[in-house]
Amino acid sequence: MKFFEGCTALITGASSGLGAEFARQLAPLASGLVLVARRNDRLEELSATLRSLHPELEIRIFQADLADSGQRYALADWLEKEKMDVNFLINNAGLGDHGHFDSSEWNRVQAMLDLNITALTHLTHLLVGRMILSGRAAILNVSSVAGFFPLPNMAVYSATKAYVTSLSEALSIELRPKGITVSALCPGPVPTEFFDIATRPGEEARASHFETFPAFVVSASEAVRDGLRAVANERARVIPGALLAAAVAVALVIPFCIIRRILAAKAASF
Ligand SMILES: NC(=O)c1ccc[n+]([C@@H]2O[C@H](COP(=O)([O-])OP(=O)(O)OC[C@H]3O[C@@H](n4cnc5c(N)ncnc54)[C@H](OP(=O)(O)O)[C@@H]3O)[C@@H](O)[C@H]2O)c1
């Protein structure tokens, strides 16, 4: 994966799950990593482990709540001041909320919109100009297979991921002549902290997606490997796991009136 050799990658949501795995897989190749999330202790721990394995790697931590626009501006200013020229941006931080829309708490809905849509778009906007100047650069947006289907009981989440996939596809065309490849990673269920956090406080975790769709589950390391491969091969979109990729390809040619019935049947059993 030649592109990653000597790159400087900024990974949002690096304190757990896919974000931490991106850091682990890039560490042997990159020359610099910028790890961003709110939980500083987690970032410190990951950074110490990676530093002991790859002493030549420059690892920087930036603690930020990316839902806050002031902290996004502060991150961009700090990168400029520290002369960290990011040429690989991984917009990975994201949140879900599992349950009926009418009983959702507005704070959780707002947090999803702020992080999954606004923060991803704003951070890309803040960094893209300098990335273009660097000659060859890449952006990997972590979307979801949920972005292909309007999922009841994850309605806002799947709508935010439809936005991420759509934005990525358009930017992949727009930015390619300027030397930037843009890819959307669209995983199905991956065992991370995601579903625990998406479960509402006081509610029991329902039969998880891992139990409902065991054949579609991929590990974090597989999802990240497929995402990095898509970037290296300049692909606009990737769904990790051959079985899930095939199932989505089939579902996308089924008339939507049938998909709507399947989604309604699934929603009725919630
Ligand atoms: N796991 C799945 O099944 C699955 C499937 C499809 C797509 N995805 C997508 O994959 C991405 C990574 O999720 P994951 O599965 O790795 O879940 P995760 O383990 O819960 O990781 C989410 C990351 O986002 C960070 N984050 C959350 N709110 C933030 C904020 N306000 N500011 C900065 N960082 C914030 C968290 O760090 P802090 O809490 O420390 O800030 C954490 O590092 C998300 O975009 C998710 O939508 C996941």
Side-chain angles (χ1 to χ4, degrees), residues 161-180:
K161 293 302 185 177
Y163 171 91
V164 173
T165 304
S166 172
L167 179 78
S168 307
E169 286 280 1
L171 291 184
S172 78
I173 297 168
E174 196 180 313
L175 292 174
R176 184 177 285 264
K178 299 182 177 176
I180 302 193

Side-chain angles (χ1 to χ4, degrees), residues 186-254:
C186 306
V190 183
T192 63
E193 296 170 18
F194 176 82
F195 284 105
D196 289 340
I197 292 167
T199 301
R200 293 177 181 172
E203 290 197 7
E204 275 189 29
R206 311 207 177 228
S208 80
H209 292 63
F210 308 115
E211 291 153 24
T212 318
F213 306 109
F216 293 152
V217 175
V218 298
S219 65
S221 81
E222 196 180 345
V224 164
R225 193 197 58 215
D226 286 1
L228 293 179
R229 211 172 265 163
V231 174
N233 295 328
E234 306 192 1
R235 286 178 58 193
R237 184 192 288 188
V238 63
I239 297 169
L243 201 59
L244 181 61
V248 172
V250 170
L252 290 177
V253 296
I254 295 175

Side-chain angles (χ1 to χ4, degrees), residues 15 36-41 43 62-66 71 95 115 197:
S15 60
V36 183
R38 293 167 302 179
R39 287 171 293 180
N40 205 46
D41 53 337
L43 296 179
F62 193 91
Q63 181 183 20
D65 179 349
L66 291 171
Q71 298 188 38
L95 286 175
L115 184 65
I197 292 167

